């Protein structure tokens, strides 16, 4: 917890985004990623492979945009920078490891933006100029702070708030897929809680009932191994990856 608190203090961000809780959320994620480095490694490797494959399949390579770039653990930054003239990393918070990584690559730029409102703001303008857009492990995260804000004020969140925010991001990706060459989506979809015997004792729909098309690639992410949230339980997220979101949307369900 001390590391998460320190990161919440040190990671730079505009005051409005800090007040909304994005810096705190980033610090908690950063701290967990370091504690769970070994458990997360297979997931991060798969995510980087999907993004690299999407980049390789993109014919025009002028500009790539990564939405939800975060710590860059799941982003093959060097591969993108080699293939594209420009790379834009978009997130509400750019932690120091990501800032330092971006500084050493001259054609990489950071854009600070809150992405949950759909195609609004400067980040949307960046996307309309892109050849490749990647939504990287972002979709299920978008509803978390808005729902938490209602609960913090002692009010219940509107019943469809989570579903609405997921739909808004997917609608933005659909719109962008009609304008740019390629959109790549990677997201977790379902959380299951397992005991030591491998039995599922609880589960949660991370996309609030919004269905996705069949995924060309899917895998499990051990997001909280045994000992992280309890000695006898762990959390697994089911991942869906779409190197070409436009093609996936056209495929029959």
């Amino acid at each position: 917890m001390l590391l998460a608190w320190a990161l919440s203090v040190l990671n730079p961000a505009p005051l409005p985004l800090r007040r909304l809780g994005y810096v705190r959320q980033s610090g908690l994620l950063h701290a967990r990623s370091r504690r769970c480095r070994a458990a997360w490694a297979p997931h991060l490797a798969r995510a980087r492979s999907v993004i690299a494959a999407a980049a390789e399949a993109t014919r025009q390579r002028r500009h790539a945009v990564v939405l939800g770039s975060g710590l860059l653990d799941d982003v093959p930054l060097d591969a993108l920078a080699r293939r594209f003239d420009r790379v834009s990393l978009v997130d509400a918070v750019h932690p120091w490891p990501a800032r330092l990584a971006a500084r050493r690559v001259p054609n990489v730029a950071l854009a600070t933006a809150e992405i949950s409102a759909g195609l609004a703001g400067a980040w949307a303008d960046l996307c309309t100029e892109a050849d490749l857009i990647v939504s990287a492990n972002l979709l299920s995260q978008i509803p978390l702070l808005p729902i938490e804000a209602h609960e913090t004020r002692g009010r219940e969140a509107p019943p469809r708030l989570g579903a609405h925010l997921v739909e808004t991001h997917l609608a933005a990706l659909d719109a962008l897929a009609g304008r740019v060459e390629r959109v790549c989506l990677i997201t977790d979809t379902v959380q299951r809680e397992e005991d030591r015997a491998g039995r599922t004792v609880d589960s949660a729909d991370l996309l609030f009932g919004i269905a996705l098309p069949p995924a060309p690639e899917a895998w499990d992410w051990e997001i909280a191994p045994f000992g992280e949230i309890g000695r006898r339980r762990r959390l697994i997220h089911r991942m869906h990856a779409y190197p070409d979101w436009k093609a996936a949307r056209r495929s029959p369900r």
Side-chain angles (χ1 to χ4, degrees), residues 57-139:
T58 304
R59 295 184 301 274
Q60 290 277 359
R61 297 182 181 177
R62 297 163 298 185
H63 187 198
V65 175
V66 180
L67 305 176
S69 51
L71 289 161
L72 297 178
D73 288 344
D74 51 359
V75 178
L77 183 61
D78 289 340
L80 291 175
R82 285 194 303 269
R83 287 180 174 87
F84 289 84
D85 298 335
R86 297 168 55 206
V87 178
S88 297
L89 305 176
V90 184
D91 213 327
V93 179
H94 297 285
W96 278 111
R99 289 175 177 271
L100 294 173
R103 281 181 186 174
R104 64 179 174 78
V105 188
N107 61 333
V108 173
L110 304 178
T112 300
E114 203 274 335
I115 303 172
S116 66
L119 286 176
W123 74 269
D125 295 335
L126 279 175
C127 288
T128 58
E129 303 167 358
D131 301 301
L132 170 67
I133 297 168
V134 179
S135 175
N137 292 294
L138 170 67
L139 181 61

Side-chain angles (χ1 to χ4, degrees), residues 184-202:
C184 171
L185 170 65
I186 303 173
T187 184
D188 40 6
T189 58
V190 174
Q191 175 180 281
R192 68 180 190 270
E193 183 179 331
E194 290 185 351
D195 63 15
R196 288 277 183 180
R199 295 184 294 253
T200 298
V201 297
D202 197 8

